[in-house]
Amino acid sequence: MAVVIKVKHKEKIMGRLRHGADLLGELSEICKKEKIQLGRLEAIGAVQKACIGFYNQEKREYQFITIDQPLEITNLTGNISIKDGNPIVHAHLTLSDSSGKAYGGHLAPGTIVFACECMIESFDGSLLERGFDQETGLPLWTVQE
Ligand code: ZN
């Protein structure tokens, strides 16, 4: 059975991240400051370097790669839910290099902002809490009663 909830739009926040900030850290910080526990986010911009993850389904662990060069954020899409009682940002992004070649994956710490514009939408609704999922080994959503 799929885990679904109904959400209602609460508010939207638009902003620009700091040059040199950790992309995931900065997005998490904004959500914490604005008390967002449920929502979605998107961003475009550029990074100085990137660290992205790929979940190895067989080994049940993330493998990370660092791309140590300037890249465009052609798209970042993510969501905000609860893990261990705190809001957590989960985001995936696509990046492009000077030749237009794309890289993509799970946003990890170590991705450093050059310039970034983001949009965060918060929702009212039941909270989605992440809990360990036996089938995948991932912290997936469960619905809080
Ligand atoms: Zn992910």
Side-chain angles (χ1 to χ4, degrees):
M1 187 74 179
V3 174
V4 291
I5 60 166
K6 285 184 178 164
V7 299
K8 279 211 168 83
H9 168 80
K10 192 173 169 187
E11 63 181 344
K12 270 187 185 154
I13 295 167
M14 273 180 90
R16 178 173 75 81
L17 307 186
R18 290 171 300 157
H19 177 82
D22 184 272
L23 181 52
L24 180 59
E26 188 93 326
L27 292 171
S28 304
E29 195 66 30
I30 293 170
C31 292
K32 198 173 155 191
K33 200 173 155 231
E34 300 293 335
K35 299 186 168 45
I36 299 169
Q37 298 192 305
L38 188 65
R40 63 181 297 276
L41 52 89
E42 59 188 70
I44 54 170
V47 298
Q48 300 173 43
K49 61 181 266 194
C51 182
I52 52 178
F54 172 86
Y55 189 67
N56 185 316
Q57 298 176 11
E58 202 172 318
K59 290 184 179 168
R60 294 183 160 222
E61 62 185 28
Y62 276 97
Q63 298 165 192
F64 295 96
I65 59 164
T66 296
I67 308 164
D68 202 357
Q69 68 186 61
L71 298 156
E72 294 287 315
I73 304 168
T74 56
N75 183 60
L76 179 152
T77 303
N79 56 55
I80 302 124
S81 60
I82 301 293
K83 188 182 172 204
D84 302 324
N86 297 306
I88 185 168
V89 171
H90 178 206
H92 286 199
L93 74 173
T94 309
L95 302 156
S96 66
D97 69 13
S98 60
S99 69
K101 201 167 97 181
Y103 304 86
H106 173 101
L107 175 62
T111 300
I112 308 302
V113 173
F114 181 76
C116 183
E117 297 166 350
C118 72
M119 171 101 71
I120 303 173
E121 182 175 11
S122 63
F123 300 131
D124 278 323
S126 306
L127 292 181
L128 281 172
E129 172 114 34
R130 292 187 180 276
F132 181 76
D133 178 68
Q134 292 283 359
E135 278 179 325
T136 62
L138 289 165
L140 299 184
W141 285 336
T142 56
V143 178
Q144 273 189 325
E145 299 307 324

